[in-house]
Amino acid sequence: MASKFINPWIKKIETYIPGQMKEGWIKLASNENNYGPSPAVIKTIKEKAGSIYVYPYKDAEVRREIAKYCRCKQGNIITGNGSDEIIDLIFKTFKTPAAGMFPTFSTYRITAGIFNKKYGEIPLDPGFSFDCKKFINNENFRESQLIFLCSPNNPTGGVIEREDIEKILAEGKITVVDEAYYEFCNKTCAGLINDYDNLIVLRTFAKAFALAGLRMGYAVAPEKLIKSLMKVKPPFDVNLLAQETAIAALSDVEFMEKNVKRILDDRIILVEKLKKKFKVFPTDANFILIDASPETANEFFNELFKEKIIVRKFGRFEGFEGDYVRISIGTGAENERLIELLEKI
Ligand SMILES: Cc1ncc(COP(=O)(O)O)c(C=O)c1O
């Protein structure tokens, strides 16, 4: 049978399950920014739609604009088809084994599996706090050459302090700091690329800039690392409209900042409401992790699903007590509807 030709490790890979989406429903499952993109982005899509007969050709311009936004040089930036693709490029480029914290964004582990590379998980402390000393002393860290950190961490919401990141960088391994939610916390270690030659910072236009559907991510790193990543990057991975709209989004950063502020203001209200009934974990991002117990995550999910609201149920995290659900913060109206329903749960 044809299945004998499939690489044996591929059979073992868990398939990534994206948050569900139903037209007209309230989706609070994938940490998108439901306010949507800047009008400058919509205008650009309309104006540039007829240009898609040419291969994408604006990578240099996009990198230049991103570099301005990140206060670094164009040579410090690489773009990708979402930061997901850059994770893929990292596994193609750098030596393994790899390691990361647990729980965290599952794509690091899944991508390692696709490349048949070892990926060790290092548990966070109970309550999901990050103990740097324990992390560095963990056997999985010690034997790894490639480290994944996520700050703010998806799905827990916690940040890793800059001094901890520096301690990890000082260990000399390639260290990826995923800052997909940077704009919601304003804490970054991107400036450290001038001090550490082993740092890669991942960012995306999918969250605060509200371009998830266009797929545009980037990394900030020392020029030498970028040059190696560039060698394995497919030439036309980022489509032309994603390039054009990233430039447009960066021309209207104020729009993004205004909506981020609305989300952060609503976060305070939502956290207070949720705290009345559930254990809520401190968050620096546009989502909130709760322990739904004594209800199960499934029951919590279903109660909202009946009302056309989709959240992300994780259920149990191995080694941790509790039953977990992650709720993205939506628009003002969506959050009000959520709060109304939470009163009834
Ligand atoms: C921590 C983290 N990194 C990366 C990504 C992927 O982002 P992108 O849409 O740029 O591929 C996500 C998406 O949920 C995420 O939560």
Side-chain angles (χ1 to χ4, degrees):
M1 291 303 283
S3 65
K4 72 178 182 217
F5 298 111
I6 298 170
N7 285 322
W9 61 88
I10 297 294
K11 293 182 187 157
K12 286 187 259 154
I13 294 167
E14 59 185 296
T15 306
Y16 180 83
I17 304 166
Q20 296 183 49
M21 171 65 178
K22 287 176 181 274
E23 207 113 341
W25 287 37
I26 298 175
K27 185 188 177 200
L28 307 176
S30 302
N31 308 334
E32 292 131 337
N33 170 356
N34 291 357
Y35 285 109
S38 152
V41 166
I42 312 285
K43 184 166 168 271
T44 299
I45 292 176
K46 287 181 183 157
E47 281 173 10
K48 303 291 180 182
S51 307
I52 54 166
Y53 66 95
V54 282
Y55 284 101
Y57 64 97
K58 292 218 165 168
D59 194 53
E61 196 178 329
V62 181
R63 290 171 69 203
R64 196 164 60 238
E65 292 308 311
I66 295 173
K68 278 190 218 157
Y69 176 67
C70 298
R71 298 194 183 91
C72 62
K73 297 195 192 109
Q74 184 180 322
N76 296 124
I77 303 291
I78 184 169
T79 59
N81 189 272
S83 45
D84 278 349
E85 191 197 30
I86 302 183
I87 296 165
D88 206 85
L89 301 184
I90 288 169
F91 274 101
K92 282 180 180 159
T93 306
F94 297 103
K95 291 181 180 167
T96 49
M101 45 212 216
F102 179 80
T104 192
F105 187 46
S106 59
T107 295
Y108 317 134
R109 182 185 65 231
I110 294 172
T111 311
I114 292 167
F115 288 98
N116 200 21
K117 305 288 187 184
K118 184 165 182 228
Y119 178 87
E121 295 185 314
I122 306 172
L124 292 168
D125 273 355
F128 305 121
S129 54
F130 180 77
D131 182 331
C132 188
K133 204 167 161 197
K134 258 197 205 163
F135 188 79
I136 288 177
N137 288 331
N138 188 285
E139 193 186 331
N140 284 326
F141 180 91
R142 302 248 56 97
E143 71 166 34
S144 289
Q145 312 211 46
L146 175 61
I147 302 297
F148 283 88
L149 302 174
C150 187
S151 180
N153 185 36
N154 176 12
T156 62
V159 290
I160 304 173
E161 295 306 328
R162 190 186 169 97
E163 60 179 60
D164 285 344
I165 289 173
E166 287 208 58
K167 280 182 199 152
I168 292 164
L169 283 164
E171 295 286 317
K173 302 165 191 285
I174 292 290
T175 301
V176 179
V177 182
D178 188 340
E179 294 186 355
Y181 301 96
Y182 153 67
E183 284 83 1
F184 298 100
C185 73
N186 236 347
K187 290 180 192 152
T188 179
C189 63
L192 292 176
I193 60 161
N194 301 313
D195 304 321
Y196 295 92
D197 63 3
N198 53 331
L199 170 63
I200 301 172
V201 177
L202 283 184
R203 297 270 191 87
T204 181
F205 281 84
K207 309 296 178 181
F209 283 104
L211 297 187
L214 275 168
R215 314 304 299 126
M216 169 61 108
Y218 62 96
V220 188
E223 227 166 318
K224 261 198 175 157
L225 300 188
I226 294 289
K227 277 190 180 150
S228 297
L229 288 164
M230 279 294 203
K231 291 184 187 180
V232 301
K233 175 180 154 82
F236 305 117
D237 53 343
V238 178
N239 72 76
L240 184 65
L241 289 180
Q243 292 177 338
E244 294 282 9
T245 52
I247 296 167
L250 288 171
S251 76
D252 191 9
V253 170
E254 298 74 28
F255 182 88
M256 174 276 285
E257 286 173 342
K258 190 182 75 197
N259 288 329
V260 163
K261 173 148 191 340
R262 290 156 91 179
I263 290 166
L264 297 184
D265 288 346
D266 275 5
R267 189 176 71 192
I268 299 170
I269 301 166
L270 264 174
V271 164
E272 281 317 305
K273 293 279 176 199
L274 285 162
K275 266 187 178 165
K276 289 195 179 137
K277 294 192 175 173
F278 306 101
K279 186 161 186 206
V280 178
F281 296 88
T283 176
D284 269 295
N286 64 335
F287 55 81
I288 304 166
L289 186 74
I290 64 160
D291 177 358
S293 39
E295 259 194 289
T296 64
N298 217 16
E299 283 163 351
F300 183 94
F301 174 89
N302 286 337
E303 279 178 67
L304 291 175
F305 195 81
K306 275 195 311 229
E307 304 290 343
K308 302 193 173 175
I309 295 186
I310 306 175
V311 294
R312 188 61 168 260
K313 58 177 166 185
F314 285 96
R316 304 210 158 264
F317 292 130
E318 207 187 318
F320 291 84
E321 302 264 309
D323 221 316
Y324 295 95
V325 175
R326 191 192 63 203
I327 305 168
S328 312
I329 299 160
T331 63
E334 290 171 344
N335 299 331
E336 272 173 31
R337 176 76 183 130
L338 175 68
I339 287 169
E340 203 179 293
L341 294 169
L342 285 173
E343 308 282 346
K344 294 189 206 153
I345 286 181

Short mmCIF file of all heavy atoms in Angstrom, two decimals, residues 176-231:
data_model
loop_
_atom_site.label_atom_id
_atom_site.label_comp_id
_atom_site.label_asym_id
_atom_site.label_seq_id
_atom_site.Cartn_x
_atom_site.Cartn_y
_atom_site.Cartn_z
N VAL A 176 14.94 31.43 20.60
CA VAL A 176 13.85 32.09 19.89
C VAL A 176 12.89 32.65 20.93
O VAL A 176 12.43 31.91 21.81
CB VAL A 176 13.09 31.07 18.99
CG1 VAL A 176 11.94 31.74 18.27
CG2 VAL A 176 14.05 30.39 18.03
N VAL A 177 12.62 33.94 20.86
CA VAL A 177 11.62 34.53 21.76
C VAL A 177 10.44 34.94 20.90
O VAL A 177 10.55 35.84 20.06
CB VAL A 177 12.20 35.75 22.53
CG1 VAL A 177 11.14 36.29 23.49
CG2 VAL A 177 13.46 35.35 23.30
N ASP A 178 9.34 34.24 21.08
CA ASP A 178 8.15 34.49 20.27
C ASP A 178 7.35 35.63 20.92
O ASP A 178 6.77 35.46 21.99
CB ASP A 178 7.32 33.20 20.18
CG ASP A 178 6.17 33.30 19.21
OD1 ASP A 178 5.76 34.43 18.88
OD2 ASP A 178 5.67 32.24 18.77
N GLU A 179 7.35 36.76 20.23
CA GLU A 179 6.64 37.95 20.75
C GLU A 179 5.41 38.25 19.89
O GLU A 179 5.15 39.39 19.53
CB GLU A 179 7.58 39.16 20.76
CG GLU A 179 8.74 39.05 21.74
CD GLU A 179 9.57 40.33 21.83
OE1 GLU A 179 9.32 41.29 21.07
OE2 GLU A 179 10.49 40.36 22.67
N ALA A 180 4.65 37.20 19.56
CA ALA A 180 3.46 37.39 18.72
C ALA A 180 2.50 38.43 19.33
O ALA A 180 1.79 39.13 18.62
CB ALA A 180 2.74 36.06 18.53
N TYR A 181 2.51 38.53 20.67
CA TYR A 181 1.56 39.42 21.36
C TYR A 181 2.24 40.68 21.89
O TYR A 181 1.72 41.34 22.80
CB TYR A 181 0.85 38.64 22.48
CG TYR A 181 0.13 37.45 21.91
CD1 TYR A 181 0.72 36.18 21.89
CD2 TYR A 181 -1.11 37.60 21.29
CE1 TYR A 181 0.09 35.10 21.31
CE2 TYR A 181 -1.75 36.53 20.69
CZ TYR A 181 -1.14 35.27 20.71
OH TYR A 181 -1.77 34.21 20.10
N TYR A 182 3.38 41.01 21.32
CA TYR A 182 4.19 42.14 21.81
C TYR A 182 3.37 43.43 21.99
O TYR A 182 3.45 44.10 23.01
CB TYR A 182 5.37 42.38 20.85
CG TYR A 182 5.86 43.80 20.83
CD1 TYR A 182 6.48 44.34 21.95
CD2 TYR A 182 5.68 44.62 19.71
CE1 TYR A 182 6.92 45.67 21.96
CE2 TYR A 182 6.11 45.93 19.72
CZ TYR A 182 6.72 46.45 20.84
OH TYR A 182 7.13 47.75 20.85
N GLU A 183 2.57 43.78 20.99
CA GLU A 183 1.89 45.08 21.00
C GLU A 183 0.92 45.20 22.18
O GLU A 183 0.55 46.32 22.55
CB GLU A 183 1.15 45.33 19.68
CG GLU A 183 2.06 45.72 18.52
CD GLU A 183 2.70 44.52 17.81
OE1 GLU A 183 2.42 43.36 18.21
OE2 GLU A 183 3.48 44.75 16.87
N PHE A 184 0.51 44.07 22.77
CA PHE A 184 -0.42 44.13 23.90
C PHE A 184 0.31 44.32 25.23
O PHE A 184 -0.33 44.54 26.26
CB PHE A 184 -1.28 42.86 23.95
CG PHE A 184 -2.12 42.69 22.71
CD1 PHE A 184 -1.72 41.84 21.69
CD2 PHE A 184 -3.28 43.43 22.55
CE1 PHE A 184 -2.49 41.71 20.54
CE2 PHE A 184 -4.05 43.31 21.41
CZ PHE A 184 -3.65 42.45 20.39
N CYS A 185 1.63 44.19 25.23
CA CYS A 185 2.35 44.32 26.51
C CYS A 185 3.49 45.32 26.44
O CYS A 185 3.99 45.76 27.48
CB CYS A 185 2.87 42.97 26.98
SG CYS A 185 4.26 42.37 26.03
N ASN A 186 3.90 45.63 25.20
CA ASN A 186 4.95 46.63 25.01
C ASN A 186 6.30 46.24 25.60
O ASN A 186 7.14 47.11 25.82
CB ASN A 186 4.49 47.96 25.61
CG ASN A 186 4.56 49.03 24.56
OD1 ASN A 186 5.15 48.82 23.50
ND2 ASN A 186 3.99 50.18 24.84
N LYS A 187 6.47 44.97 25.92
CA LYS A 187 7.77 44.53 26.45
C LYS A 187 8.44 43.70 25.37
O LYS A 187 7.83 42.75 24.86
CB LYS A 187 7.59 43.67 27.69
CG LYS A 187 7.10 44.45 28.89
CD LYS A 187 6.95 43.54 30.10
CE LYS A 187 6.18 44.26 31.20
NZ LYS A 187 5.43 43.37 32.06
N THR A 188 9.65 44.08 25.02
CA THR A 188 10.34 43.34 23.96
C THR A 188 11.81 43.15 24.31
O THR A 188 12.38 43.94 25.06
CB THR A 188 10.23 44.07 22.61
OG1 THR A 188 10.94 43.31 21.62
CG2 THR A 188 10.81 45.49 22.66
N CYS A 189 12.38 42.10 23.74
CA CYS A 189 13.83 41.93 23.91
C CYS A 189 14.52 42.09 22.56
O CYS A 189 15.68 41.73 22.41
CB CYS A 189 14.14 40.58 24.56
SG CYS A 189 13.65 39.20 23.57
N ALA A 190 13.80 42.65 21.56
CA ALA A 190 14.37 42.77 20.21
C ALA A 190 15.68 43.57 20.21
O ALA A 190 16.60 43.27 19.45
CB ALA A 190 13.36 43.40 19.27
N GLY A 191 15.78 44.57 21.10
CA GLY A 191 17.00 45.38 21.16
C GLY A 191 18.24 44.56 21.53
O GLY A 191 19.37 44.97 21.24
N LEU A 192 18.01 43.39 22.12
CA LEU A 192 19.16 42.56 22.55
C LEU A 192 19.89 41.89 21.39
O LEU A 192 20.94 41.28 21.60
CB LEU A 192 18.69 41.49 23.55
CG LEU A 192 18.21 41.98 24.92
CD1 LEU A 192 17.69 40.80 25.76
CD2 LEU A 192 19.36 42.66 25.66
N ILE A 193 19.34 42.00 20.17
CA ILE A 193 20.06 41.39 19.04
C ILE A 193 21.44 42.04 18.83
O ILE A 193 22.30 41.47 18.17
CB ILE A 193 19.26 41.42 17.71
CG1 ILE A 193 18.94 42.86 17.30
CG2 ILE A 193 18.02 40.56 17.79
CD1 ILE A 193 18.57 42.98 15.83
N ASN A 194 21.61 43.25 19.38
CA ASN A 194 22.93 43.90 19.25
C ASN A 194 23.93 43.37 20.27
O ASN A 194 25.13 43.56 20.12
CB ASN A 194 22.78 45.42 19.41
CG ASN A 194 21.84 45.97 18.36
OD1 ASN A 194 21.96 45.65 17.19
ND2 ASN A 194 20.87 46.77 18.78
N ASP A 195 23.43 42.70 21.31
CA ASP A 195 24.31 42.20 22.37
C ASP A 195 24.51 40.68 22.31
O ASP A 195 25.46 40.16 22.88
CB ASP A 195 23.72 42.54 23.76
CG ASP A 195 23.47 44.03 23.90
OD1 ASP A 195 24.30 44.80 23.42
OD2 ASP A 195 22.42 44.40 24.46
N TYR A 196 23.55 39.98 21.70
CA TYR A 196 23.62 38.51 21.67
C TYR A 196 23.49 38.02 20.22
O TYR A 196 22.51 38.35 19.55
CB TYR A 196 22.50 37.90 22.53
CG TYR A 196 22.64 38.23 24.00
CD1 TYR A 196 22.01 39.36 24.53
CD2 TYR A 196 23.40 37.44 24.86
CE1 TYR A 196 22.14 39.69 25.88
CE2 TYR A 196 23.54 37.75 26.21
CZ TYR A 196 22.91 38.88 26.70
OH TYR A 196 23.04 39.19 28.03
N ASP A 197 24.46 37.23 19.79
CA ASP A 197 24.40 36.77 18.39
C ASP A 197 23.54 35.52 18.21
O ASP A 197 23.44 34.98 17.13
CB ASP A 197 25.83 36.53 17.85
CG ASP A 197 26.56 35.42 18.60
OD1 ASP A 197 25.95 34.80 19.51
OD2 ASP A 197 27.74 35.17 18.29
N ASN A 198 22.90 35.07 19.32
CA ASN A 198 22.11 33.83 19.28
C ASN A 198 20.61 34.07 19.49
O ASN A 198 19.87 33.13 19.78
CB ASN A 198 22.62 32.84 20.34
CG ASN A 198 22.69 33.45 21.74
OD1 ASN A 198 22.90 34.66 21.88
ND2 ASN A 198 22.54 32.64 22.77
N LEU A 199 20.17 35.31 19.34
CA LEU A 199 18.75 35.65 19.61
C LEU A 199 17.94 35.81 18.32
O LEU A 199 18.36 36.50 17.39
CB LEU A 199 18.68 36.96 20.42
CG LEU A 199 17.30 37.60 20.60
CD1 LEU A 199 16.36 36.70 21.40
CD2 LEU A 199 17.42 38.97 21.28
N ILE A 200 16.76 35.19 18.31
CA ILE A 200 15.79 35.40 17.22
C ILE A 200 14.46 35.79 17.86
O ILE A 200 13.93 35.05 18.68
CB ILE A 200 15.57 34.12 16.37
CG1 ILE A 200 16.90 33.64 15.77
CG2 ILE A 200 14.52 34.35 15.28
CD1 ILE A 200 16.80 32.29 15.08
N VAL A 201 13.93 36.95 17.49
CA VAL A 201 12.64 37.39 18.03
C VAL A 201 11.59 37.21 16.94
O VAL A 201 11.77 37.69 15.81
CB VAL A 201 12.71 38.87 18.47
CG1 VAL A 201 11.35 39.36 18.95
CG2 VAL A 201 13.75 39.04 19.58
N LEU A 202 10.51 36.50 17.27
CA LEU A 202 9.43 36.28 16.30
C LEU A 202 8.30 37.27 16.54
O LEU A 202 7.90 37.49 17.69
CB LEU A 202 8.85 34.88 16.47
CG LEU A 202 9.60 33.69 15.93
CD1 LEU A 202 8.76 32.43 16.16
CD2 LEU A 202 9.90 33.87 14.46
N ARG A 203 7.78 37.82 15.47
CA ARG A 203 6.63 38.74 15.56
C ARG A 203 5.64 38.40 14.45
O ARG A 203 5.96 37.65 13.52
CB ARG A 203 7.10 40.19 15.37
CG ARG A 203 8.07 40.71 16.42
CD ARG A 203 7.31 41.37 17.56
NE ARG A 203 8.19 42.09 18.44
CZ ARG A 203 8.58 43.36 18.27
NH1 ARG A 203 8.17 44.05 17.22
NH2 ARG A 203 9.37 43.93 19.15
N THR A 204 4.47 39.01 14.53
CA THR A 204 3.45 38.74 13.51
C THR A 204 2.55 39.95 13.28
O THR A 204 2.38 40.78 14.17
CB THR A 204 2.59 37.52 13.93
OG1 THR A 204 1.63 37.26 12.91
CG2 THR A 204 1.85 37.75 15.24
N PHE A 205 1.96 39.99 12.10
CA PHE A 205 0.92 40.98 11.80
C PHE A 205 -0.48 40.40 12.08
O PHE A 205 -1.49 41.05 11.85
CB PHE A 205 0.99 41.42 10.33
CG PHE A 205 2.09 42.42 10.06
CD1 PHE A 205 3.39 42.00 9.83
CD2 PHE A 205 1.82 43.78 10.07
CE1 PHE A 205 4.41 42.91 9.60
CE2 PHE A 205 2.83 44.71 9.85
CZ PHE A 205 4.13 44.27 9.62
N ALA A 206 -0.52 39.15 12.55
CA ALA A 206 -1.81 38.46 12.70
C ALA A 206 -2.61 38.91 13.91
O ALA A 206 -3.82 38.76 13.93
CB ALA A 206 -1.57 36.95 12.79
N LYS A 207 -1.94 39.45 14.91
CA LYS A 207 -2.64 39.72 16.16
C LYS A 207 -3.02 41.20 16.25
O LYS A 207 -4.07 41.57 15.78
CB LYS A 207 -1.76 39.25 17.34
CG LYS A 207 -1.27 37.81 17.18
CD LYS A 207 -2.39 36.80 17.18
CE LYS A 207 -1.87 35.39 16.98
NZ LYS A 207 -2.91 34.37 16.95
N ALA A 208 -2.17 42.05 16.82
CA ALA A 208 -2.54 43.45 17.02
C ALA A 208 -2.90 44.15 15.69
O ALA A 208 -3.83 44.95 15.62
CB ALA A 208 -1.41 44.19 17.71
N PHE A 209 -2.18 43.86 14.61
CA PHE A 209 -2.44 44.52 13.32
C PHE A 209 -3.64 43.93 12.57
O PHE A 209 -4.01 44.42 11.50
CB PHE A 209 -1.20 44.47 12.43
CG PHE A 209 -0.12 45.46 12.82
CD1 PHE A 209 1.02 45.05 13.49
CD2 PHE A 209 -0.26 46.81 12.51
CE1 PHE A 209 2.01 45.96 13.85
CE2 PHE A 209 0.72 47.73 12.86
CZ PHE A 209 1.86 47.30 13.53
N ALA A 210 -4.19 42.83 13.11
CA ALA A 210 -5.42 42.24 12.57
C ALA A 210 -5.31 41.77 11.11
O ALA A 210 -6.24 41.92 10.32
CB ALA A 210 -6.60 43.22 12.72
N LEU A 211 -4.17 41.16 10.77
CA LEU A 211 -4.00 40.64 9.40
C LEU A 211 -3.87 39.12 9.39
O LEU A 211 -3.19 38.55 8.52
CB LEU A 211 -2.76 41.25 8.74
CG LEU A 211 -2.71 42.76 8.51
CD1 LEU A 211 -1.47 43.13 7.69
CD2 LEU A 211 -3.94 43.26 7.79
N ALA A 212 -4.52 38.44 10.33
CA ALA A 212 -4.34 36.97 10.45
C ALA A 212 -4.64 36.26 9.13
O ALA A 212 -3.95 35.31 8.76
CB ALA A 212 -5.21 36.42 11.57
N GLY A 213 -5.66 36.72 8.43
CA GLY A 213 -6.07 36.04 7.20
C GLY A 213 -5.11 36.23 6.04
O GLY A 213 -5.22 35.53 5.02
N LEU A 214 -4.18 37.16 6.14
CA LEU A 214 -3.27 37.41 5.03
C LEU A 214 -1.95 36.67 5.17
O LEU A 214 -1.22 36.51 4.20
CB LEU A 214 -3.01 38.92 4.88
CG LEU A 214 -4.08 39.61 4.05
CD1 LEU A 214 -3.97 41.11 4.17
CD2 LEU A 214 -3.97 39.21 2.58
N ARG A 215 -1.61 36.26 6.40
CA ARG A 215 -0.40 35.50 6.69
C ARG A 215 0.86 36.33 6.47
O ARG A 215 1.43 36.37 5.38
CB ARG A 215 -0.32 34.20 5.85
CG ARG A 215 -1.59 33.39 5.79
CD ARG A 215 -2.12 33.00 7.16
NE ARG A 215 -1.20 32.19 7.91
CZ ARG A 215 -0.78 32.50 9.17
NH1 ARG A 215 -1.24 33.57 9.79
NH2 ARG A 215 0.06 31.72 9.79
N MET A 216 1.26 36.99 7.49
CA MET A 216 2.50 37.77 7.43
C MET A 216 3.14 37.80 8.81
O MET A 216 2.59 38.35 9.76
CB MET A 216 2.20 39.19 6.93
CG MET A 216 3.36 40.18 7.07
SD MET A 216 4.81 39.70 6.12
CE MET A 216 4.75 40.92 4.84
N GLY A 217 4.29 37.17 8.91
CA GLY A 217 5.05 37.21 10.16
C GLY A 217 6.47 37.62 9.85
O GLY A 217 6.87 37.72 8.68
N TYR A 218 7.25 37.90 10.88
CA TYR A 218 8.65 38.26 10.64
C TYR A 218 9.50 37.91 11.85
O TYR A 218 8.97 37.61 12.93
CB TYR A 218 8.77 39.76 10.30
CG TYR A 218 8.33 40.74 11.37
CD1 TYR A 218 9.26 41.31 12.24
CD2 TYR A 218 7.01 41.12 11.50
CE1 TYR A 218 8.86 42.24 13.21
CE2 TYR A 218 6.60 42.03 12.46
CZ TYR A 218 7.54 42.59 13.32
OH TYR A 218 7.15 43.50 14.28
N ALA A 219 10.80 37.90 11.63
CA ALA A 219 11.73 37.70 12.74
C ALA A 219 12.74 38.83 12.73
O ALA A 219 13.08 39.38 11.68
CB ALA A 219 12.43 36.36 12.61
N VAL A 220 13.18 39.17 13.94
CA VAL A 220 14.24 40.16 14.12
C VAL A 220 15.43 39.38 14.69
O VAL A 220 15.28 38.69 15.70
CB VAL A 220 13.81 41.24 15.14
CG1 VAL A 220 14.82 42.39 15.19
CG2 VAL A 220 12.41 41.77 14.84
N ALA A 221 16.58 39.50 14.05
CA ALA A 221 17.73 38.71 14.51
C ALA A 221 19.02 39.33 13.99
O ALA A 221 19.00 40.16 13.07
CB ALA A 221 17.60 37.27 14.01
N PRO A 222 20.16 38.92 14.55
CA PRO A 222 21.44 39.39 14.01
C PRO A 222 21.57 39.02 12.53
O PRO A 222 21.08 37.96 12.11
CB PRO A 222 22.47 38.65 14.86
CG PRO A 222 21.75 38.28 16.11
CD PRO A 222 20.34 38.03 15.71
N GLU A 223 22.24 39.87 11.77
CA GLU A 223 22.32 39.71 10.32
C GLU A 223 22.82 38.32 9.88
O GLU A 223 22.32 37.76 8.92
CB GLU A 223 23.24 40.80 9.76
CG GLU A 223 22.62 41.47 8.56
CD GLU A 223 23.32 42.76 8.17
OE1 GLU A 223 23.67 43.55 9.08
OE2 GLU A 223 23.49 42.97 6.96
N LYS A 224 23.76 37.79 10.63
CA LYS A 224 24.32 36.46 10.26
C LYS A 224 23.25 35.38 10.30
O LYS A 224 23.21 34.51 9.43
CB LYS A 224 25.43 36.09 11.26
CG LYS A 224 26.80 36.37 10.75
CD LYS A 224 27.82 35.60 11.55
CE LYS A 224 29.18 35.83 10.93
NZ LYS A 224 30.26 35.61 11.85
N LEU A 225 22.40 35.41 11.33
CA LEU A 225 21.33 34.41 11.43
C LEU A 225 20.29 34.63 10.33
O LEU A 225 19.80 33.67 9.73
CB LEU A 225 20.66 34.45 12.81
CG LEU A 225 21.54 34.19 14.03
CD1 LEU A 225 20.68 34.06 15.29
CD2 LEU A 225 22.40 32.94 13.86
N ILE A 226 19.98 35.90 10.07
CA ILE A 226 18.99 36.21 9.01
C ILE A 226 19.50 35.67 7.66
O ILE A 226 18.75 35.07 6.90
CB ILE A 226 18.74 37.74 8.92
CG1 ILE A 226 18.07 38.26 10.20
CG2 ILE A 226 17.93 38.11 7.67
CD1 ILE A 226 16.62 37.86 10.42
N LYS A 227 20.79 35.85 7.40
CA LYS A 227 21.35 35.38 6.12
C LYS A 227 21.16 33.88 5.95
O LYS A 227 20.84 33.40 4.86
CB LYS A 227 22.83 35.74 6.04
CG LYS A 227 23.04 37.17 5.58
CD LYS A 227 24.49 37.45 5.28
CE LYS A 227 24.63 38.90 4.83
NZ LYS A 227 25.93 39.47 5.17
N SER A 228 21.36 33.11 7.03
CA SER A 228 21.18 31.66 6.94
C SER A 228 19.71 31.31 6.74
O SER A 228 19.37 30.45 5.92
CB SER A 228 21.68 30.98 8.22
OG SER A 228 23.05 31.21 8.35
N LEU A 229 18.83 31.99 7.48
CA LEU A 229 17.39 31.73 7.33
C LEU A 229 16.93 32.05 5.91
O LEU A 229 16.09 31.35 5.33
CB LEU A 229 16.59 32.56 8.35
CG LEU A 229 16.69 32.11 9.81
CD1 LEU A 229 16.20 33.20 10.76
CD2 LEU A 229 15.88 30.83 10.04
N MET A 230 17.50 33.11 5.34
CA MET A 230 17.14 33.53 3.97
C MET A 230 17.43 32.43 2.95
O MET A 230 16.76 32.32 1.93
CB MET A 230 17.91 34.79 3.58
CG MET A 230 17.31 36.06 4.14
SD MET A 230 15.70 36.38 3.38
CE MET A 230 15.58 38.11 3.63
N LYS A 231 18.46 31.62 3.22
CA LYS A 231 18.84 30.57 2.26
C LYS A 231 17.77 29.49 2.15
O LYS A 231 17.64 28.84 1.13
CB LYS A 231 20.16 29.92 2.70
CG LYS A 231 21.33 30.85 2.56
CD LYS A 231 22.62 30.14 2.90
CE LYS A 231 23.73 31.18 2.91
NZ LYS A 231 25.04 30.62 3.22
#
